[in-house]
Amino acid sequence: MENSKKVIFSGIQPSGNLTIGNYFGALKNWVKLQDKYDCYFCVVDLHAITVRQEPKDLRRRTLEVLAIYLAAGIDPEKNTIFIQSHVPTHSEAAWLLNCFTYVGELERMTQYKSKSKKYEDGNGSVSAGLLNYPVLMAADILLYNADLVPVGKDQTQHIELTRDIAERFNNAYSPTFTLPEGYIPEGGAKIMDLQDPTKKMSKSSSNPNSYVLIMDSPEVIRRKINRCVTDSVGVVKYTDSQPGVKNLINILGAVTGMSCEDIEAKYEGKGYAEFKNDVAEALIKELSPIQDKVNELLQNKKYLEEIYKKGAEKAYYVSSKILRKMQKKIGFIPVSR
Ligand code: AMP
Ligand code: TRP
C-alpha cells in the first residue's frame, strides 16, 4: 500500500533559528502532504556545516528544528523524520555523485555565487563544501527515489541539477533513479524581509528586525511587526508598488486563510497601525501553541531521541538499497554484511 504513494523528500538546515518564512513557506505545507505521500523530512545538519557553525549552537538548533517539525504537526507515525548526519548513506552517495557532476555546473549555481562572494569578503576562503553542497542535496533526494521535492523557488536550480546528475547516471548505466520534480504547493506563501520587502525573509539575515522567528516572544513579534517597513501611501492594498503592505497581507492571509480581497476590504479606510496590530496578534495566536509544544518537547529529550532513532533506521534501510544499487552498477565489489 505504502509503495503506491508518491515519495516526498525535503529538509531544512539547522543553520539559524527558523523564521515564519520557513513556517508558512515550508512546514505548514508539509503538514498537508503527510496523508497523501510517503514523506521523508530531514534536518540537514551536513548542509549546515558548509559555513562554520558553533558546535553547541548546532546541537541546540538541530534538536529545536526537529521539535519544530513535530510541533508544527508533522506526525512521526506517518512520516520518516530524521537527522541527516545519522544516516551515513547520504555522505557516501554524495561522493559517488560528485564523480558524475561537473565543476562548471556547480560554479554556475546562483546560491553558490552569492554565498561565495559573501565569504570571500570575509576571510578569503570558500570551502569546497559550499561548492559541492548541491551534490549532497542530490544524494538526499535520489537515495529515496523521491518524486516530489517541496522547496522554495530559490532551490529550483538545485533540483534541476539533481535531475541532470540522475539522468547522467541513468544513461551511463541503466535506469536507477527517479527524476524528481520541485513542488511548490498551492498557497505556499513567500514571506519577505520586514526591513527590505523586496528580499526574501531569511534566517541568516544579520538584522534581527528583518524576520520574525517561530520562537519569538509576543512582545518581540509586536515590536518587529510594528517597526516593519511599509510606505507612505496609507492604504492597505495588495499591489507590487506597496511591497511591505503586500507582505503583511500575505502573512495575515497565511495565518487566517483570508483572501487578499477580504483583507483589503476589512482595512478599508483604516490606518496601518490597526492593520499591523492585527497581523502581530494573529501571528502570536498561531505561534504560541507551537512554541509551547516545542518547549515541552525539548524538555523530553528521550522522546525526541526515540523519534530520530526510529527515523534514521527507516531512512538507512531505504537509502542503503539504492546506495548498494549505485555501488554495484559503478563496479564496486559487493560484500555481504
Ligand atoms: P532555508 O531557510 O533556506 O533552509 O529554507 C528551508 C525551507 O523554507 C525551504 O523550502 C525554503 O523555500 C523555505 N523558506 C525559507 N525562507 C522562506 C521565505 N521567506 N518564504 C517562504 N519560504 C521560505
Ligand atoms: N538546500 C535546501 C535549503 O537550503 C535544504 C535541503 C538540503 C533540501 N537537502 C534537501 C531541500 C533535499 C529539499 C530536498 O533550503
Side-chain angles (χ1 to χ4, degrees):
M1 193 52 205
E2 185 138 307
N3 290 342
S4 62
K5 283 185 180 171
K6 284 198 166 175
V7 176
I8 279 193
F9 188 102
S10 199
I12 299 182
Q13 300 189 44
S15 54
N17 296 314
L18 300 200
T19 70
I20 55 169
N22 298 120
Y23 181 67
F24 293 114
L27 288 165
K28 218 176 160 175
N29 296 309
W30 294 0
V31 173
K32 295 183 204 148
L33 302 171
Q34 58 188 352
D35 290 314
K36 212 169 145 208
Y37 298 96
D38 181 15
C39 300
Y40 293 81
F41 295 121
C42 185
V43 183
V44 288
D45 55 350
L46 297 174
H47 276 89
I49 64 160
T50 51
V51 301
R52 199 63 73 233
Q53 301 290 334
E54 190 61 48
K56 75 174 188 330
D57 291 342
L58 181 61
R59 269 191 291 273
R60 178 184 61 76
R61 284 203 223 98
T62 301
L63 281 187
E64 190 175 283
V65 173
L66 187 88
I68 290 176
Y69 282 9
L70 298 169
I74 297 172
D75 182 346
E77 297 297 325
K78 291 183 187 157
N79 307 282
T80 308
I81 304 174
F82 67 106
I83 297 170
Q84 192 183 26
S85 63
H86 290 172
V87 185
T89 46
H90 290 244
S91 312
E92 291 182 55
W95 170 254
L96 304 185
L97 295 177
N98 257 312
C99 301
F100 295 83
T101 309
Y102 304 134
V103 175
E105 286 175 315
L106 295 172
E107 283 172 341
R108 239 178 283 130
M109 293 292 118
T110 313
Q111 190 181 65
Y112 171 72
K113 284 198 260 186
S114 66
K115 281 204 176 176
S116 57
K117 205 169 276 141
K118 205 158 120 195
Y119 293 99
E120 263 170 21
D121 297 345
N123 54 17
S125 309
V126 174
S127 77
L130 200 62
L131 180 69
N132 285 322
Y133 160 116
V135 185
L136 179 59
M137 180 160 164
D140 297 342
I141 297 167
L142 299 177
L143 277 172
Y144 301 88
N145 268 333
D147 299 282
L148 298 171
V149 184
V151 280
K153 266 217 163 69
D154 59 319
Q155 296 296 320
T156 48
Q157 210 186 15
H158 294 156
I159 299 188
E160 276 160 27
L161 179 65
T162 300
R163 290 171 63 89
D164 291 343
I165 298 172
E167 243 180 330
R168 198 168 293 145
F169 192 97
N170 287 350
N171 289 338
Y173 304 104
S174 55
T176 311
F177 299 123
T178 304
L179 300 188
E181 284 185 42
Y183 181 58
I184 302 178
E186 248 175 87
K190 183 169 175 195
I191 309 296
M192 309 307 278
D193 186 300
L194 299 178
Q195 294 301 314
D196 175 1
T198 59
K199 273 192 347 208
K200 189 182 98 160
M201 181 183 285
S202 167
K203 56 174 136 71
S204 58
S205 166
S206 55
N207 178 1
N209 284 325
S210 63
Y211 51 69
V212 171
L213 299 176
I214 296 178
M215 297 304 286
D216 271 343
S217 68
E219 303 82 76
V220 171
I221 295 178
R222 284 189 195 105
R223 196 187 65 225
K224 287 180 177 175
I225 295 293
N226 203 9
R227 289 194 190 158
C228 85
V229 169
T230 47
D231 51 60
S232 54
V233 180
V235 179
V236 177
K237 196 163 183 347
Y238 195 77
T239 159
D240 288 339
S241 59
Q242 294 174 251
V245 169
K246 183 176 170 187
N247 190 33
L248 291 178
I249 294 180
N250 275 332
I251 295 174
L252 191 58
V255 181
T256 60
M258 279 168 84
S259 69
C260 320
E261 294 80 20
D262 291 347
I263 294 174
E264 283 176 349
K266 181 164 179 202
Y267 294 96
E268 203 181 322
K270 295 179 181 161
Y272 291 161
E274 183 177 341
F275 174 52
K276 282 183 167 180
N277 182 55
D278 288 0
V279 173
E281 295 312 315
L283 272 176
I284 293 166
K285 198 164 153 225
E286 172 94 6
L287 296 177
S288 301
I290 295 177
Q291 295 175 351
D292 292 346
K293 191 88 219 271
V294 169
N295 290 326
E296 190 190 311
L297 285 164
L298 289 173
Q299 295 301 312
N300 195 348
K301 297 265 162 35
K302 267 248 138 29
Y303 175 68
L304 290 179
E305 191 182 338
E306 250 170 58
I307 297 206
Y308 64 66
K309 259 182 137 163
K310 197 172 127 220
E313 270 168 31
K314 163 94 189 284
Y316 184 69
Y317 176 78
V318 173
S319 59
S320 300
K321 286 202 225 169
I322 303 209
L323 178 66
R324 271 198 296 272
K325 249 194 205 172
M326 292 168 71
Q327 291 167 329
K328 199 168 153 210
K329 291 190 186 198
I330 289 172
F332 293 158
I333 294 181
V335 58
S336 54
R337 276 193 261 252

